[in-house]
Structure formats: C-alpha cells, structure tokens
Amino acid sequence: MIQSAVVQQLRQGGVRVTPQRLAIAEAVLNSTDHPTVQQIHERVQQHFPSMTLATVYSTLGVLSKSGLIQELPFAKQSRYESNVSPHVNLVCIGCGNIADADDSSDIIIRLRDQVSNETRFQVMWQRVDFHGWCRTCQAAIEPAAAAGQ
Amino acid sequence: MIQSAVVQQLRQGGVRVTPQRLAIAEAVLNSTDHPTVQQIHERVQQHFPSMTLATVYSTLGVLSKSGLIQELPFAKQSRYESNVSPHVNLVCIGCGNIADADDSSDIIIRLRDQVSNETRFQVMWQRVDFHGWCRTCQAAIEPAAAAGQ
DNA sequence: ATATATGCAAATCATTTGCATTCCT
DNA sequence: AGGAATGCAAATGATTTGCATATAT
C-alpha cells in the first residue's frame, strides 16, 4: 500500500505521522493537476471536515521539506505536485491547466550535467516550466484563423 | 543608445513612454542580479524620489506584457530579469543569489522542440530554474567536511 | 510523559485598486 | 484636448503566527 512508503519517508525525516498529514500527502500524490492549496484543502476536507487552511499550509511545508512533493510558486499562488523527478511542466496560458510532459527527463538530466560541469554550481533540484497553449485551447482559437484562410 | 530601442518596443505595443517607465526599464535591463520589486524601487527612487511602489508594480506589469522583461515568481516575492531568451537560472539555496547560466540556450531550444513535437503543446516562453549551491556557498560549507576527512 | 500537531483567530506582507492630479501624444 | 500614467492611501488576499487543546511516539 502506498501509505507505508509515505509513512516511512516521513519518519526517516523525524516527522510525526498524523492522519491529517497522510490525507494531505495522498491528496497531492494522487493528483496530476498540480492543485492549489485551496483545492487540496477542499479535497481533504471531505475526510476531515474540521481541517483548516493553516494545517494544510503547515503540512505542505513539511512534505516539501521531506522531499515528497514540490511547491511551484506562481504569481497568484503556489501549486503543488508529486512528481519530484526531472520533468517539464506544461502551463497553459489559456485554461491555466498544468500537465507534466512525458519523456522530458533525460534531456533535463543532460542539461543539468552540462551546466553543473561548466559552472560548478551544485544542482539539488530544478523546475522547468513551458508556458503556452495546450491542444484544447489551440483548437478553440485556430478555427477562426483557419476560417479566415 | 539603449533608450531608443526600449522606447520603440514600448510604442509598438501602444504603451506610453514616461520618464518613470524608462527608468524602471533601465534599472531591470542593466541588472544581472534578478532584483526584487523593492530593490528596483530603491534603485529608481535615487532618480525619482517621489515614485511609489504602486507605480513600480504597474510598470513592471507593462514591461512584462511588452516582452521586455520577465517576471520570476518565487514563494516569498517575485523577481525580475531582462534576459528573455532561453536560459537556465541558477538559484542558490544558501545566499539567495540568482545568476544566468551561460551557454544553456541551445539545449533548452532543443528540449522545447522535442516537447513541442511530442505533445503538440505550443510553447510561447519558458522558465528554467536550477536550485542548488553556488561556488561561494559550497566553499563556505565544504571545508568542514574536508577537515573531517 | 512530553514534545509536537491541530484548529482557530488574528496578524503579516506582497500586490492591487480607487481616485484626484499630472503628463504623454 | 483627452485619455492614460502617477502618487497616495486604502483594500485585498495568500500565507504565517500565537496559543490552547489534542495527539503521536
């Protein structure tokens, strides 16, 4: 069961394991939509109606420091994701959705090594965001241009 | 003179050119330290003592939309940079300094093309941050480990 | 047993907004 | 001239903090 791995990784970091923390960890780890704090709060509140935002904020900080999840700060608010291995985030300008790009890991690792060698900067983790138009939003715009053709 | 290029690019976007806007644009374009809004305000206030933070915020938004500069949101506050071509930001965990990695452009463009082809996501711009230890902060830590050797 | 997490309310602080006055074009 | 930018003050909203109570180890 997935819980045991989470519990183990938290305990290794000297972090106490509570039902709330497990629920928040699961909410993020089971998500692929890079949820906001509010969204995580709403989802977890279904199981813990009395949980407050303060607990969610505190726990997300703990989970980030433990390396289980990653915070993605944006201009308006942060979002969170469970994919801590090198990858590209595809951030849609139109709908705001964020998705992970498949198979983007190798080239990022190569870039990491190259930069590391040339600059002697010791990379611990990275964030790679590509901003643009997702397929759905392209389709919603392009027909107008195509019609004008 | 650099001003003329800035003026031209702003006017092309239908943006009015004011002395304050030019000063803020110059402050960012002449910087390499990825300054915060507060820092930009302090620097520009030397020439415009009455300028407020509200004007700085407003202008940074205008300059970003005009494509002259790029906002880099972080958890605590945003920072701004003038390098809008593809590159890697080296964000030091220790001192908080941010520097651009030289010669990182080509491999990012390749990554862009690859992801673009595989996912049909239309990339408009990107942000690539490598977090880790700069050479100075490594040197401040390592001697302890080396001594233990 | 004891240090730490949770829940609640209040505080903080970056960023935004409304409006009167001033300034580009 | 006329609409948009500036400066100032007040508002907003995400995130943090303090403290009493409950809980993990």
Side-chain angles (χ1 to χ4, degrees):
Chain A
M1 147 144 95
I2 195 177
Q3 281 206 350
S4 57
V6 173
V7 170
Q8 193 178 329
Q9 188 161 351
L10 288 175
R11 286 224 174 100
Q12 278 182 347
V15 173
R16 287 196 185 174
V17 177
T18 67
Q20 289 93 330
R21 284 181 171 172
L22 282 180
I24 292 168
E26 262 189 52
V28 179
L29 294 174
N30 290 336
S31 72
T32 63
D33 61 344
H34 306 72
T36 66
V37 178
Q38 311 280 342
Q39 288 173 323
I40 296 166
H41 183 223
E42 285 164 13
R43 293 171 194 180
V44 174
Q45 258 196 334
Q46 296 178 345
H47 304 286
F48 294 84
S50 65
M51 191 186 295
T52 63
L53 269 174
T55 297
V56 179
Y57 274 107
S58 159
T59 299
L60 289 173
V62 167
L63 297 176
S64 298
K65 278 174 199 133
S66 298
L68 272 167
I69 65 177
Q70 187 173 6
E71 179 182 4
L72 300 177
F74 284 93
K76 299 301 174 190
Q77 86 273 60
S78 283
R79 298 177 66 157
Y80 286 85
E81 80 167 336
S82 56
N83 187 354
V84 294
S85 56
H87 70 280
V88 175
N89 295 309
L90 302 176
V91 184
C92 182
I93 303 168
C95 58
N97 285 349
I98 304 177
D100 289 355
D102 294 331
D103 307 322
S104 50
S105 179
D106 288 354
I107 193 164
I108 293 180
I109 291 172
R110 215 179 320 140
L111 177 58
R112 243 177 97 138
D113 290 346
Q114 180 187 311
V115 167
S116 203
N117 280 330
E118 288 179 3
T119 66
R120 295 290 154 204
F121 184 95
Q122 187 181 6
V123 181
M124 303 303 284
W125 74 86
Q126 69 290 313
R127 172 181 180 180
V128 182
D129 288 359
F130 283 4
H131 296 256
W133 301 96
C134 72
R135 278 203 271 187
T136 305
C137 287
Q138 284 177 58
I141 302 274
E142 279 167 4
Q149 248 301 332
Chain B
M1 152 141 90
I2 196 177
Q3 280 203 353
S4 59
V6 173
V7 171
Q8 193 178 329
Q9 189 162 352
L10 288 176
R11 289 225 173 101
Q12 280 182 347
V15 173
R16 287 198 184 173
V17 177
T18 67
Q20 289 93 332
R21 284 182 172 171
L22 281 180
I24 293 168
E26 262 189 50
V28 179
L29 294 173
N30 290 335
S31 72
T32 63
D33 62 343
H34 306 73
T36 66
V37 177
Q38 312 278 342
Q39 289 173 322
I40 296 166
H41 183 223
E42 285 164 13
R43 293 171 195 180
V44 175
Q45 258 195 333
Q46 297 178 344
H47 304 285
F48 294 84
S50 65
M51 191 186 294
T52 62
L53 269 175
T55 297
V56 179
Y57 274 107
S58 159
T59 299
L60 290 173
V62 167
L63 298 175
S64 298
K65 279 173 200 135
S66 297
L68 272 167
I69 64 176
Q70 186 172 7
E71 180 183 3
L72 300 177
F74 284 93
K76 300 301 174 191
Q77 86 274 62
S78 282
R79 297 177 69 157
Y80 286 85
E81 82 167 335
S82 55
N83 187 354
V84 294
S85 56
H87 69 279
V88 174
N89 295 309
L90 303 177
V91 184
C92 182
I93 303 169
C95 58
N97 285 348
I98 305 178
D100 288 354
D102 294 330
D103 306 324
S104 50
S105 178
D106 288 353
I107 192 163
I108 293 180
I109 291 173
R110 213 180 322 141
L111 177 57
R112 242 177 98 138
D113 291 344
Q114 180 187 313
V115 167
S116 202
N117 281 330
E118 289 179 3
T119 65
R120 295 290 153 202
F121 184 95
Q122 187 183 5
V123 181
M124 303 301 286
W125 75 85
Q126 68 289 314
R127 172 179 180 179
V128 182
D129 288 359
F130 284 4
H131 296 255
W133 302 96
C134 72
R135 278 203 271 187
T136 306
C137 288
Q138 284 177 57
I141 301 272
E142 279 167 4
Q149 250 301 330

